[in-house]
Amino acid sequence: MAVVLGVESKQTRASYTQLTQPQRYTLEALLTQPITQKDIATQMGVSAATISRERRRNGPTLPYQAQQAHQQAQQRQQRTAYKLKGELLTTVKEHLRERF
């Protein structure tokens, strides 16, 4: 529980876990059916936001292809975040200080 302004509240944000490869194949099959994303999410036991996010990130092609989606997800996991360093980091910090 979090305490905000002296009041305890439950944190409602759940942690996000990516779909597994078998779940992606299930999603591929369910997307061929005339049912809503919300119904798909209920059947798969995930949130509707997870289905929406999965389609947006990994399914830009129609129809959704589970194998391609899984490969794209794995490629994203392997990327490393860009880190500022050296002169560029110094310049960014200076500009931020000037601005604030």
Side-chain angles (χ1 to χ4, degrees):
M1 286 199 182
V3 178
V4 179
L5 300 174
V7 178
E8 288 186 16
S9 65
K10 291 184 179 181
Q11 291 185 349
T12 58
R13 187 167 209 171
S15 63
Y16 170 69
T17 57
Q18 292 186 342
L19 293 179
T20 63
Q21 190 169 17
Q23 285 176 313
R24 286 190 173 97
Y25 282 107
T26 301
L27 176 59
E28 181 178 336
L30 289 172
L31 286 171
T32 65
Q33 305 300 314
I35 56 176
T36 65
Q37 284 187 181
K38 185 176 180 180
D39 290 337
I40 291 171
T42 301
Q43 287 186 31
M44 292 180 62
V46 298
S47 75
T50 298
I51 302 301
S52 176
R53 185 181 308 110
E54 177 69 16
R55 292 188 70 195
R56 184 177 63 249
R57 289 182 178 170
N58 301 318
T61 59
L62 292 174
Y64 177 87
Q65 297 173 341
Q67 185 171 353
Q68 180 182 352
H70 191 68
Q71 289 171 349
Q72 290 173 339
Q74 286 180 320
Q75 288 171 354
R76 269 195 311 280
Q77 280 183 330
Q78 292 172 358
R79 284 191 234 157
T80 56
Y82 180 80
K83 294 188 180 186
L84 294 177
K85 53 187 170 187
E87 188 177 333
L88 180 58
L89 176 61
T90 304
T91 302
V92 169
K93 284 182 176 180
E94 287 173 7
H95 284 288
L96 287 172
R97 269 191 232 110
E98 290 172 9
R99 196 164 178 201
F100 297 103

